[in-house]
Amino acid sequence: MTETPTFAGVAESLRTATNLLTGISDTPRLDAELLMAHALGVERSALLLDPARYEVPELYAHLIARRMAHEPIAYILGYRDFWTIRIEVGPGVLIPRPDSETLIEAAVAHFGASAPARILDLGTGPGTLLLAALSEFPDATGLGVDASEFALAYARDNAGELGMADRTAFQSGDWGDGIDGSFDLILCNPPYIADSEILMPDVAEHEPAEALFAGADGLGDYRRIIPDLPRLLAPGGLAVLEIGATQHISVGKLAEAAGFAVACRQDLGGRDRALILTLVR
């Protein structure tokens, strides 16, 4: 059991919490600041602007203890900021990653001044990619599909909070099965981790395995998704798939076999992250 730490003033408490979280988190100072702001009920920017005006609440020590036990920061906060929007998340729902913003960047770069009319998000989770895309394309409508009703409940709540409920529909489904085309933009962040891969405790002990793992080579879901994309994609449309950093060639071959031209976009770390698919006519 993790012992609850004790803290003094805000500045000193942030330093202490940062030290405690070093080795637990890749971003210990950021985590310490986010949890302090959450405990105080203010935005992190307000906290950093004038930390001396606040007193450390008792709740802070308990939040730090939870993070020291490897509970994901997004589950403790109840949200994760993604692109330009805030996505509500909780235990049992895949947490949005900054790397996934690469898919939205690819879509925005492709469409330029034009815009997709209909967007499909396969494996939408809490609505992350669909709602981020709709924030960029205000005249578009979208459909989010996920096998988890639990995740879809979060997606519907997020659409409502962002004022997009009238532009979205969410349904339970197994990838593209039962969906009728056509969509101008298809987004998909499927499970792509090999079953044998060892993950950090934050992920392995808390996030849903069905949203992470995809068979012995991590390609199981791509083999089901990609051959079905041509019938769902509108003429001139774009499909963007998230991939693992070493999967460009293997997933690209699956896409080429299905009739797609393939390009790849790197994330901010320079790793292959998004495959950009257009049908060869």
Side-chain angles (χ1 to χ4, degrees):
M1 182 175 179
T2 303
E3 184 177 347
T4 302
T6 57
F7 298 101
V10 168
E12 182 181 346
S13 295
L14 289 173
R15 288 192 295 271
T16 300
T18 299
N19 290 333
L20 289 169
L21 295 177
T22 299
I24 300 293
S25 169
D26 292 333
T27 55
R29 177 71 185 195
L30 176 61
D31 287 9
E33 292 170 354
L34 286 170
L35 292 174
M36 179 69 79
H38 183 65
L40 289 166
V42 301
E43 290 293 324
R44 173 172 168 258
S45 57
L47 170 67
L48 297 180
L49 187 63
D50 188 11
R53 67 176 291 191
Y54 301 105
E55 294 185 2
V56 180
E58 292 184 11
L59 175 62
Y60 187 57
H62 297 284
L63 297 182
I64 294 298
R66 289 171 64 184
R67 187 69 185 102
M68 289 172 65
H70 295 282
E71 185 174 351
I73 185 78
Y75 287 171
I76 300 173
L77 298 177
Y79 70 86
R80 171 60 65 86
D81 289 332
F82 180 86
W83 197 245
T84 60
I85 60 177
R86 178 161 288 182
I87 297 291
E88 178 187 353
V89 295
V93 174
L94 186 69
I95 298 170
R97 266 71 169 176
D99 289 344
S100 298
E101 294 184 357
T102 310
L103 280 70
I104 306 300
E105 293 171 355
V108 171
H110 175 83
F111 285 99
S114 62
R118 296 188 72 203
I119 302 172
L120 173 63
D121 182 11
L122 294 173
T124 193
T128 304
L129 292 175
L130 178 60
L131 298 173
L134 290 175
S135 74
E136 287 293 321
F137 305 116
D139 294 325
T141 60
L143 170 64
V145 180
D146 203 282
S148 168
E149 289 286 358
F150 188 71
L152 290 172
Y154 273 92
R156 294 185 182 102
D157 286 347
N158 283 320
E161 286 294 322
L162 293 167
M164 299 182 189
D166 60 341
R167 300 168 56 205
T168 56
F170 295 97
Q171 70 182 53
S172 178
D174 186 11
W175 300 123
D177 289 355
I179 299 174
D180 295 324
S182 57
F183 296 88
D184 305 294
L185 173 62
I186 300 176
L187 300 165
C188 183
N189 177 15
Y192 54 73
I193 298 171
D195 291 346
S196 60
E197 188 168 339
I198 304 300
L199 302 178
M200 295 292 290
D202 304 40
V203 179
E205 297 173 9
H206 293 276
E207 296 193 64
E210 62 273 16
L212 298 168
F213 296 101
D217 60 1
L219 303 179
D221 287 291
Y222 294 116
R223 294 190 180 99
R224 298 190 54 225
I225 296 164
I226 291 174
D228 199 32
L229 292 179
R231 73 173 183 87
L232 296 170
L233 199 60
L238 178 75
V240 190
L241 308 181
E242 181 161 334
I243 59 170
T246 63
Q247 295 175 324
H248 179 181
I249 294 175
S250 54
V251 179
K253 287 180 178 178
L254 294 173
E256 289 170 352
F260 287 102
V262 180
C264 185
R265 189 179 185 98
Q266 285 73 44
D267 59 26
L268 290 176
R271 300 174 293 262
D272 291 342
R273 188 59 61 193
L275 280 197
I276 303 163
L277 311 183
T278 51
L279 277 171
V280 179
R281 300 293 180 180

